[in-house]
Amino acid sequence: MADIRTLFEDSVRNALISFGLDFSSRTCIGAAVSGGADSVSMLTALSHVIPENITLKVITVNHNIRESSETEGDAVFVQDYCRKLGVQCARHDIPRGKVESLAREKDCGTEDAARRLRYEAFETFIRCSNLDFLCLAHNRNDQLETVLMRFFSGGDCNALSGIPCVREKYVRPILDLTRDDVEEYLRVQGISYRTDSTNFDTSFTRNCIRSRIMPMLNKEIPGWQTAVSSLRKKMEEDSLALESDAEEAMDQISWTESSEGVSFDRYFFSILNGALRRRILYRAIFAVGSDSRFPYRVVDSVSQRSKNPGRWAEEACGIQIFCHDARIFVQKRKKSATESGFFVIMEKSGRYCAGDWQIDVALQGNRTVLLCGKRDGEKSSLVLENLGFPFAFRSRQSGDQVRTSDGSFRTVAKILEDWKCGELRDEIPLVQELKSSGQSIVCIWGSVLGFKDWIVKG
């Protein structure tokens, strides 16, 4: 019977082959190593099974959320072990306090904030090191814990699919191995590892499941692990089927993506089955850049309200979902001009500042002359007929419209999209008259940034 080392390393080798690694090619793979048993066992096995023609590089991330001596000790341990193996190691230190600051900013937990920053470091490492893929050290126990966590939080079939073996350039070569396998593999070779003290803090959901719930299940419900693994596989298959159906439904609902976000036909969306509606909504939410776990209650509410042809709106996690003119729109929430961007009301001739802009204003008869530019930069001039005081100089807001020559209206967002303004679209100033009840936009001042001007005549 093969020993644990042979079984462990054969499993890692077979996993790499299943991921598409050509052992005869000259490629470069990475490994994320924290110093814990899982990542140390993975790194050890990788160093044993990959041939010399394949380059192995390591990244270790110091989150700086524990005592300095502990986090520094973990990073140094990984660097020393990599040096012993002859493996290049990149160390990434997150400034102390940044994890906690991000958690407050995103209104999320410390674990979630740490994960976001860790993956930012991973993405940079993959790009700069030109990796074919990056190995992560999740094992079978992690898989079970994840499915239980998502079950207790009411996850759908996609969530209950658990941790994927492959996601883009991230692969998990020890996902079929247990934590007992990991510890035994290291024990027989006399290899030490670090233990994160926060692993024993059961205020974290995962730790509570690992330390309390799983031991109880092992004692009271024999075979539960097999049942959960079977459930995970079924959910994965269901999720793949739903994803395929959602892909086919995209044309039916007239799915459209733009710089503003995603939109689709309300009626054809509403007649899809509920599971497909929710899958498409999540797809739209992620497409506009949501990096938060979007609440199911809002997705379910939108799914139901899609049957209502009237105007309605929902908002959560910085994402707006609303119905207008028979279409459903999913966009990032636009802050008002007074929250971000710039805004100033001009009531007489003189110099004004709005954000980074400096504007000189003079009234010459029925002509308003404006001279504008970034502070200490070149100035651009603009003359507007019959504007008069007061008027506003501001950044655009969601829903802004401007009149065309035939008397109809176009959205400012669409005009800027046609101008191909890209990331500059939120910097282009608008001039809005304030003396009438309509308070209409009279100018999109594009020339100040090298684009056209849109001036409403009359």
Side-chain angles (χ1 to χ4, degrees):
M1 183 176 178
D3 60 18
I4 182 62
R5 176 171 173 174
T6 301
L7 290 172
F8 195 99
E9 293 178 0
D10 282 350
S11 179
V12 170
R13 182 184 292 104
N14 292 335
L16 293 174
I17 293 171
S18 73
F19 301 151
L21 177 63
D22 180 358
F23 275 72
S24 64
S25 65
R26 297 188 65 84
T27 57
C28 184
I29 66 174
V33 182
S34 66
D38 296 333
S39 60
V40 170
S41 68
M42 180 186 73
L43 171 59
T44 304
L46 288 172
S47 70
H48 290 170
V49 303
I50 62 172
E52 292 184 356
N53 55 287
I54 296 177
T55 302
L56 175 62
K57 296 181 179 181
V58 164
I59 180 172
T60 187
V61 178
N62 175 7
H63 298 88
N64 269 316
I65 53 178
R66 291 172 284 139
E67 291 293 329
S68 297
S69 58
E70 187 175 355
T71 57
E72 177 69 17
D74 291 347
V76 170
F77 173 86
V78 174
Q79 289 175 304
D80 289 344
Y81 190 54
C82 287
R83 197 174 297 114
K84 179 181 177 181
L85 295 175
V87 174
Q88 180 181 331
C89 178
R91 172 174 167 175
H92 179 81
D93 289 89
I94 297 171
R96 186 165 291 278
K98 188 171 183 179
V99 171
E100 293 83 355
S101 175
L102 182 64
R104 289 191 297 271
E105 176 189 334
K106 298 292 185 181
D107 191 24
C108 64
T110 302
E111 286 181 296
D112 189 24
R115 181 184 182 280
R116 295 178 193 220
L117 294 172
R118 180 167 66 250
Y119 273 83
E120 284 181 11
F122 289 168
E123 289 291 331
T124 302
F125 182 62
I126 289 170
R127 185 175 63 255
C128 294
S129 300
N130 196 26
L131 300 181
D132 289 271
F133 49 74
L134 179 66
C135 298
L136 306 180
H138 297 96
N139 61 42
R140 191 188 300 173
N141 294 66
D142 296 320
Q143 182 74 281
L144 292 169
E145 293 163 8
T146 298
V147 174
L148 288 176
M149 283 177 64
R150 294 177 180 177
F151 173 77
F152 292 137
S153 63
D156 60 8
C157 64
N158 189 48
L160 295 178
S161 298
I163 306 170
C165 291
V166 181
R167 180 178 64 81
E168 297 173 346
K169 287 201 171 186
Y170 297 98
V171 299
R172 297 172 171 87
I174 67 168
L175 196 56
D176 287 335
L177 295 162
T178 68
R179 189 163 286 122
D180 287 344
D181 294 332
V182 164
E183 293 178 357
E184 180 65 8
Y185 174 74
L186 294 176
R187 188 193 65 79
V188 298
Q189 298 179 82
I191 299 173
S192 61
Y193 54 88
R194 303 279 291 185
T195 300
D196 185 341
S197 61
T198 62
N199 288 345
F200 304 104
D201 183 354
T202 55
S203 65
F204 294 113
T205 303
R206 182 179 290 276
N207 291 347
C208 180
I209 289 173
R210 178 184 301 160
S211 303
R212 296 180 178 178
I213 295 176
M214 290 177 69
M216 182 274 291
L217 292 174
N218 290 335
K219 179 181 178 181
E220 302 294 340
I221 309 178
W224 74 269
Q225 295 189 13
T226 301
V228 171
S229 296
S230 176
L231 171 66
R232 187 205 66 77
K233 183 171 177 56
K234 294 171 187 173
M235 293 296 98
E236 182 178 37
E237 292 171 351
D238 287 354
S239 182
L240 289 172
L242 266 179
E243 191 65 21
S244 176
D245 290 345
E247 195 70 37
E248 291 181 7
M250 304 290 267
D251 288 337
Q252 179 184 346
I253 64 173
S254 183
W255 173 284
T256 303
E257 292 189 41
S258 70
S259 59
E260 288 294 291
V262 172
S263 71
F264 42 85
D265 183 274
R266 181 206 62 81
Y267 172 73
F268 287 106
F269 173 78
S270 72
I271 63 176
L272 298 173
N273 68 58
L276 268 182
R277 292 200 301 268
R278 291 190 294 272
R279 177 58 62 101
I280 287 170
L281 281 170
Y282 276 120
R283 177 178 283 208
I285 289 161
F286 296 140
V288 300
S290 172
D291 56 1
S292 300
R293 297 190 185 280
F294 201 82
Y296 172 79
R297 61 174 177 76
V298 177
V299 170
D300 187 52
S301 175
V302 170
S303 175
Q304 299 303 320
R305 295 184 75 173
S306 68
K307 301 171 186 178
N308 177 1
R311 297 184 67 169
W312 47 262
E314 297 273 1
E315 182 177 321
C317 300
I319 301 293
Q320 294 176 320
I321 307 176
F322 59 93
C323 182
H324 179 66
D325 289 340
R327 289 185 72 79
I328 293 175
F329 295 83
V330 182
Q331 302 176 352
K332 279 195 171 180
R333 184 178 76 86
K334 300 293 191 305
K335 295 182 178 180
S336 70
T338 53
E339 287 182 277
S340 65
F342 45 91
F343 183 95
V344 64
I345 294 176
M346 300 177 175
E347 299 181 297
K348 60 182 180 179
S349 298
R351 173 166 290 180
Y352 297 84
C353 292
D356 292 331
W357 295 112
Q358 184 172 281
I359 315 100
D360 290 301
V361 185
L363 193 61
Q364 299 177 356
N366 66 344
R367 307 168 75 212
T368 302
V369 181
L370 299 96
L371 191 65
C372 174
K374 299 285 186 177
R375 291 186 178 88
D376 301 323
E378 292 186 13
K379 300 292 193 295
S380 176
S381 62
L382 179 72
V383 178
L384 295 174
E385 303 284 346
N386 302 313
L387 174 58
F389 296 113
F391 65 90
F393 175 97
R394 66 172 177 83
S395 54
R396 72 185 183 98
Q397 301 178 34
S398 177
D400 277 339
Q401 293 184 318
V402 64
R403 188 160 54 85
T404 66
S405 58
D406 62 8
S408 61
F409 285 85
R410 289 188 68 191
T411 65
V412 172
K414 179 59 178 171
I415 293 170
L416 297 182
E417 183 180 336
D418 291 343
W419 288 357
K420 302 188 186 309
C421 299
E423 294 181 354
L424 292 175
R425 62 184 179 272
D426 289 326
E427 295 187 40
I428 292 178
L430 310 182
V431 178
Q432 179 181 11
E433 60 87 12
L434 300 177
K435 61 186 178 182
S436 75
S437 58
Q439 297 191 350
S440 58
I441 295 169
V442 297
C443 175
I444 306 174
W445 195 350
S447 61
V448 76
L449 286 172
F451 298 100
K452 306 174 186 177
D453 287 329
W454 184 292
I455 300 176
V456 178
K457 302 295 185 183

